[in-house]
Amino acid sequence: MEPAPPAIGVFDSGIGGLSILREIQAQLPGEDLIYFADQAWVPYGSRPLEQVRERAVTVAADLIRRGAKLVVVACNSASAAALHHLRQVYPEVPFVGMEPAVKPAAEHSDRGVVGVLATAATFQGELYASVLDRHANGVEVHEVAAAELAMLVEDGRFTDAKEALRGLLQPLIAAGIDRLVLGCTHYSFLSDEIRAVMGPEVELVDPSAAVARQVGRVLAAKTQPGRNGQIAYLTTGDPARLGSQLAALFGIDAIVQPVELG
């Protein structure tokens, strides 16, 4: 039997990155995937950038040790804190990260007024400042930091999240935005709740599909056509908890491996 091909590693502090994993699986069904939920550290967005950077290096090292041929930093906070650093530390491994989708929001905004919903860590990073500098010229950008939403998603408290969103999104409604960038992968799971608060005139900009396309471009001829890829799920938290989250969100009955990192 031939050995299994190298996998694509995907990591986040919790379940938010599953929104990216789903898109990669849909676009590259022949690829084996490793999903690493660093739930002992969830959420990254409330931690100092330096701490997140060090942790991202530790998680990436584990995925590379497991044979990851490409690593997706499926977390905006970790991308803001560590993406450039990871590429320096592991120059032989391609990394694909999250960039707040200000560019498509700005390009398609009819009013020239867009909103960004993200964590404080994302807004503080150099990556976000660079995105604004490159893509927000001539467009009004209104920002709302909402770190607490990630934990509400982790805990499956979607009703509480909707109530929190009513207050959080009021400044964006008052500003008259017509595009709202989802700047945290956890927020993809709140799309219905966000639409209910913002109304039908505001389009949500979710970068998940674009990230998956970038993974395909980076891999190019290295992809594995004609086979059904497998997914391994890992967590530094409680495997039973991640298993129940997978069942609740996707109806998946998955074996979750525990991981201990130093």
Side-chain angles (χ1 to χ4, degrees):
M1 180 182 295
E2 294 184 1
I8 298 169
V10 181
F11 80 89
D12 182 23
S13 64
I15 61 174
L18 292 170
S19 59
I20 306 299
L21 185 85
R22 284 189 303 172
E23 287 290 345
I24 296 173
Q25 185 183 31
Q27 295 186 31
L28 302 169
E31 293 295 326
D32 288 335
L33 302 167
I34 304 171
Y35 187 78
F36 192 116
D38 190 15
Q39 292 176 302
W41 274 53
V42 66
Y44 286 157
S46 62
R47 296 177 180 274
L49 291 179
E50 180 60 35
Q51 191 178 76
V52 176
R53 184 179 302 119
E54 293 175 0
R55 185 64 172 185
V57 170
T58 300
V59 174
D62 187 80
L63 285 168
I64 292 168
R65 181 182 62 79
R66 296 174 188 273
K69 62 182 175 181
L70 178 149
V71 175
V72 180
V73 186
C75 170
N76 290 77
S77 298
S79 294
L83 184 59
H84 295 316
H85 183 64
L86 287 167
R87 287 170 174 161
Q88 293 172 348
V89 174
Y90 301 109
E92 72 284 359
V93 178
F95 284 85
V96 174
M98 304 297 301
E99 179 179 281
V102 173
K103 180 180 180 180
E107 288 178 346
H108 296 98
S109 174
D110 296 322
R111 301 174 189 165
V113 185
V114 304
V116 182
L117 185 66
T119 66
T122 294
F123 288 132
Q124 291 166 6
E126 294 179 5
L127 182 61
Y128 180 72
S130 172
V131 168
L132 287 186
D133 185 59
R134 286 180 283 131
H135 303 305
N137 294 323
V139 175
E140 227 178 277
V141 179
H142 294 264
E143 302 162 354
V144 169
E148 68 271 26
L149 290 177
M151 282 309 299
L152 292 177
V153 173
E154 286 286 321
D155 295 338
R157 295 164 57 194
F158 292 96
T159 300
D160 291 342
K162 186 174 181 178
E163 289 303 312
L165 285 163
R166 292 186 194 280
L168 287 167
L169 297 177
Q170 283 306 310
L172 301 181
I173 294 172
I177 69 167
D178 63 1
R179 297 289 187 279
L180 176 56
V181 176
L182 303 185
C184 171
T185 52
H186 281 83
Y187 302 166
S188 295
F189 296 109
L190 295 173
S191 295
D192 290 343
E193 288 79 6
I194 293 171
R195 287 192 181 96
V197 175
M198 295 302 301
E201 294 185 356
V202 176
E203 182 175 326
L204 305 189
V205 185
D206 186 334
S208 300
V211 172
R213 288 193 295 271
Q214 177 62 11
V215 170
R217 284 192 291 268
V218 172
L219 288 178
K222 298 178 183 178
T223 58
Q224 302 290 328
R227 64 185 296 272
N228 293 319
Q230 304 297 311
I231 304 177
Y233 295 96
L234 315 176
T235 184
T236 55
D238 179 2
R241 185 184 186 208
L242 180 55
S244 65
Q245 289 167 320
L246 290 167
L249 289 171
F250 307 120
I252 296 172
D253 183 14
I255 296 173
V256 179
Q257 296 177 275
V259 178
E260 291 187 11
L261 296 181

